[in-house]
Structure formats: C-alpha cells, structure tokens
Amino acid sequence: ERDQRRGARLQRGFTRKILGTKGGKPVIDPRSFERKRPPEKPQFAWTLIIDNSGSCGGDIIEEEKKLAVALVEVAKKLDIPLEIVTFGGPQQYTFLKGFEQDVAGEDLQKMVFLNADQGTPDVVTLDAACASMERFTDKFQRSYNFVYFMTDGQSGSGSIQEVLKRYKRDMVVTGIGLAGAASTIGETWGRNAVPVPDVSKLSDSFIRKIGDQIDQTFD
C-alpha cells in the first residue's frame, strides 16, 4: 500500500511536468531537467580566543599555544573554518588566524612565539570574535558555530554576560577556566563552562567538550 501511494504521488508529479503534446509525444517542462542543488552539508565553524594577558605566563600560555597549533591541524584536515584571536594590538585584540587563512611559515611562528604580555581586554576581544563569527557564517545555509574563550579569570572592563546574551542565538560561546579560574568559571559561563584546574590537561578537556557539543547538536 505504501508503494502504491508513493507511485501515485510520483505519477501526479510527472503529470504536472507535462506541458502538452507535439507530434503525438509529450512535451516536458525543461525545468524538470535542471540539476537540483544538493542540500548543503552541516557546516561547523570554530573560534579560539587565547588569553595572553600578563597573568597567563609560564605553563598556561604554553598549553594554550599547544592547543591552538593542534587545532589548526585538526581544522585543516576536517575542512572546518577556524579563527584564532588574541589580546593586544591597536584595537586591543588581534586576529592571529582568519577563517579562510592557511597558517604556515611566519604566521605559524607568531602563534608559537606568542607571549603572555598583554592587558586584559576580554570583553572587547570576545565581542569582536563573536561579531566576526556572525559575519563569516551568515553566508552558509546551515552553520553550527562554536566560540571557545580561554581565560585565567582576570577580567577587564565591561560585561561578558552582555556579549553572551547578544550572540546566544547564533553561536555557542564556551568559557574555559584555566588554573585558578577553574573554580569560578561557572559563575559567568554557566553550563557552557569548562574548568581546567590542571592546565596540562587542557587539550584533553577541550576535546571532550567538543565531542559533547557535537553529540548534543545532532542528538
């Protein structure tokens, strides 16, 4: 019965495409032969914000850089657009890697030799990163957008919560609390908080969070 109903639907659809007859043969609407554009595959986009403020020296900045370099390689292999943002620069933030930029040579060296020597324009940097994500992914038919903000808990002026509220419909913004910030990260970021008291476990914690978010996206 299901096959009969399906056949009837196909027959009606075919009949609607017949414009008439010519020489005893049916004339088919030429638009029927146009190649249909396949649905666009789910598109992921990632932004990683590195906290390179002065309080993140030593192991913290080194583990952040290791994660950033590894994520560049993963994103390249999986064809996932990735942007990396740091503190510092004329606008108080720097786009160390753009979504469509291939990082190699001097650009990769800038990431590897990044120092923890900036102020803490965390709100300004997060706002700029989210705005950039919004502009870039607007061209996709479907996009799952994730912003990851690593922080040691020090904060500048402004409100992180206001930025999160502004972009919550377009992306998931996750706060990663490093070292001492692990115990307080949930106060600001809620369920999108990842505490990492042992910074040597940063990459492991990050991978687990990405896996959980992908599972929740397609659950």
Side-chain angles (χ1 to χ4, degrees):
E1 290 179 0
R2 286 195 300 269
D3 289 342
Q4 288 176 348
R5 289 195 296 270
R6 181 171 179 271
R9 288 197 301 271
L10 292 173
Q11 179 65 33
R12 288 194 296 272
F14 178 74
T15 302
R16 285 196 293 268
K17 292 178 174 58
I18 299 177
L19 301 180
T21 59
K22 183 177 181 181
K25 296 181 179 180
V27 177
I28 308 298
D29 186 345
R31 289 176 298 180
S32 302
F33 301 101
E34 292 179 357
R35 183 176 183 179
K36 297 292 188 295
R37 182 181 179 183
E40 192 167 316
K41 67 178 181 180
Q43 174 69 56
F44 284 93
W46 292 337
T47 293
L48 182 69
I49 301 172
I50 298 175
D51 186 345
N52 58 320
S53 58
S55 57
C56 285
D59 291 341
I60 294 179
I61 189 64
E62 292 303 319
E63 293 299 329
E64 287 185 280
K65 291 190 293 185
K66 287 179 185 178
L67 174 60
V69 172
L71 198 60
V72 166
E73 293 300 318
V74 171
K76 184 176 181 179
K77 289 182 179 179
L78 298 179
D79 195 25
I80 295 176
L82 168 67
E83 191 160 73
I84 296 179
V85 191
T86 67
F87 297 161
Q91 296 177 298
Q92 301 185 70
Y93 54 83
T94 298
F95 288 93
L96 201 59
K97 178 193 177 304
F99 283 113
E100 299 177 291
Q101 177 185 352
D102 187 17
V103 175
E106 291 185 4
D107 292 329
L108 187 59
Q109 285 185 349
K110 290 178 183 178
M111 192 178 304
V112 172
F113 294 127
L114 188 68
N115 292 317
D117 56 3
Q118 300 297 318
T120 313
D122 53 344
V123 177
V124 174
T125 303
L126 179 61
D127 191 20
C130 291
S132 178
M133 170 72 81
E134 188 177 59
R135 289 192 300 271
F136 176 74
T137 58
D138 185 59
K139 61 186 177 183
F140 296 116
Q141 181 180 359
R142 176 184 296 173
S143 184
Y144 301 99
N145 311 322
F146 297 92
V147 177
Y148 301 97
F149 189 10
M150 297 187 288
T151 175
D152 73 337
Q154 301 296 320
S155 184
S157 60
S159 171
I160 290 287
Q161 285 91 344
E162 287 297 319
V163 178
L164 299 179
K165 183 179 178 181
R166 192 178 311 136
Y167 294 102
K168 67 179 181 179
R169 294 185 60 183
D170 300 312
M171 62 199 72
V172 176
V173 186
T174 300
I176 303 173
L178 306 173
S183 60
T184 58
I185 191 71
E187 297 173 7
T188 302
W189 302 83
R191 64 185 182 89
N192 289 324
V194 178
V196 186
D198 182 355
V199 294
S200 68
K201 304 293 181 58
L202 173 59
S203 294
D204 292 339
S205 300
F206 186 85
I207 290 171
R208 284 198 299 272
K209 186 60 176 179
I210 284 183
D212 291 343
Q213 289 176 330
I214 290 175
D215 289 341
Q216 292 168 10
T217 299
F218 295 105
D219 188 7

